[in-house]
Amino acid sequence: MPDSKHFAPPGPIGFGGAPLGNMFEEVPDDVAEATLAAAWDAGIRYFDTAPEYGPGISEHRFGHVLRNRPRDEFVLSTKVGRLLRADSSKGGKHGPFVKGLPFRVDYDYTADGVRRSIEDSLQRLGMARIDIAYIHDCAEDAHGDRWLEVFDTAMKGAAVALTQLREEGVIRAWGLGVNRVEPCVMAMERADPDVFLLAGRYSLLNQPALDTLFPRCQERGVHVVVGGPYNSGLIAGGKTFEYQEAPPDKVAARDRLAEIAKRHGVDLRAAALQFCAAHPVVASVIPGTKNPPRVQENMALMKQPIPADFWRELKQAGVLPEQVPTPA
């Protein structure tokens, strides 16, 4: 990685906050608190959340735990582009998030919306600063055919405001938090982001970022945080890919990976985490976690020895591209 003025969160592993927003199922408050405390005790010092997660409950939970820790000892990121507005009719349900707080979620990528979003997040967190602000979901999967129009609004509004907030010292860095490569590439053409949170686009099963985004990041000294290293659970033995039922071709690809891993005595989850962390532009990997044992498990998986022959076979079999970096 070239020397860079751009700020990056610590790695190799961080903590992703979507599960503690009650994603797919309710997580009791005491379990959420214990999970965050376990992450801290395990040495994790990068924590990512968002207003959408809950909506709002993930930020509340992060603040409840982290504001009792020394503020200069951890990096905290949240997201902008959505504002929460009180709405009891929602019943705490938003997308995949269940039993959250009674707010509706409205998109707002304007400069004024971003400044309000930062202030609202600080209130929910109970903290005086966040370190990184990601422009959330200004991409095709969230906005369909309108995404280029939305992206343009985000570049003219959110990106300008966040650059000013960085210059003022209110935040240390900004970027995009998305599930698509294209807006990240375009953002570097129009602005000066520091770091991208990219989910599901660099994994053992899926590497569209490898030849498109990552070389540009290396040239510019821009960092990447990898979200979704298990592709929403499929690599870890689940049935979902990109938060939906996995298509047969992805299940077959996972099964082939698992077969090779078994032959080498490798835990496929360990391979997934370590693969993501091995690329030089990747600053941190943030698997989702809902309970304390899983935090400890992820930390152990990141350190688990993996034989070089495993990575060699993946390349020889055409499962991974020949040029992709793999762990030493």
Side-chain angles (χ1 to χ4, degrees), residues 6-122:
H6 295 301
F7 175 79
I13 193 166
F15 190 100
L20 297 191
N22 292 338
M23 193 174 195
F24 301 127
E25 62 182 0
E26 185 177 12
V27 178
D29 286 337
D30 60 337
V31 174
E33 182 174 351
T35 303
L36 284 162
W40 182 272
D41 292 342
I44 289 174
R45 293 297 182 267
Y46 172 46
F47 297 85
D48 174 72
T49 183
E52 185 195 17
Y53 303 160
I57 197 167
S58 178
E59 285 189 322
H60 273 288
R61 286 169 163 172
F62 273 51
H64 178 68
V65 173
L66 293 177
R67 65 174 170 263
N68 295 314
R69 269 65 179 183
R71 184 61 189 88
D72 290 338
E73 292 186 12
F74 65 92
V75 170
L76 176 65
S77 60
T78 191
K79 302 179 183 72
V80 299
R82 290 179 171 95
L83 294 176
L84 305 188
R85 307 194 189 272
D87 188 343
S88 59
S89 70
K90 292 296 181 183
K93 179 76 172 68
H94 170 71
F97 301 99
V98 303
K99 295 187 178 180
L101 302 179
F103 295 93
R104 77 173 189 271
V105 182
D106 294 338
Y107 287 110
D108 190 332
Y109 293 101
T110 65
D112 287 346
V114 162
R115 289 183 179 272
R116 174 179 166 177
S117 182
I118 294 286
E119 288 296 326
D120 287 353
S121 288
L122 293 173

Side-chain angles (χ1 to χ4, degrees), residues 18 127 167 171 294 320:
M127 295 186 188
E167 292 170 353
I171 61 175
R294 182 57 59 85
L320 288 179

Side-chain angles (χ1 to χ4, degrees), residues 305-323:
I306 296 178
D309 285 348
F310 168 73
W311 302 112
R312 193 174 298 117
E313 181 172 348
L314 290 184
K315 292 185 177 184
Q316 290 172 347
V319 177
L320 288 179
E322 185 61 37
Q323 76 276 18

Side-chain angles (χ1 to χ4, degrees), residues 7 9 46 48-50 53 77-82 109 114 132-141 143 147 150-160 162-163 166 171 173-199 213 217 222-227 286:
F7 175 79
Y46 172 46
D48 174 72
T49 183
Y53 303 160
S77 60
T78 191
K79 302 179 183 72
V80 299
R82 290 179 171 95
Y109 293 101
V114 162
I132 304 170
Y134 296 113
I135 305 173
H136 203 184
D137 286 341
C138 53
E140 185 176 12
D141 59 314
H143 299 284
W147 86 269
V150 170
F151 178 82
D152 186 60
T153 298
M155 289 298 100
K156 292 176 178 176
V160 173
L162 292 173
T163 299
R166 182 180 63 191
I171 61 175
W174 71 270
L176 307 188
V178 290
N179 306 311
R180 294 291 184 270
V181 172
E182 295 80 9
C184 298
V185 174
M186 293 165 58
M188 284 191 285
E189 295 170 353
R190 296 186 55 175
D192 184 32
D194 303 282
V195 56
F196 297 117
L197 199 172
L198 184 65
L213 176 62
C217 288
V222 172
H223 305 274
V224 175
V225 172
V226 173
I286 53 169

Side-chain angles (χ1 to χ4, degrees), residues 203-206 228-238 240 254 257 268-269 271-272:
S203 72
L204 282 177
L205 282 177
N206 203 31
Y230 300 141
N231 283 120
S232 79
L234 184 62
I235 292 176
T240 57
R254 187 274 314 276
L257 278 167
L268 191 57
R269 298 169 302 167

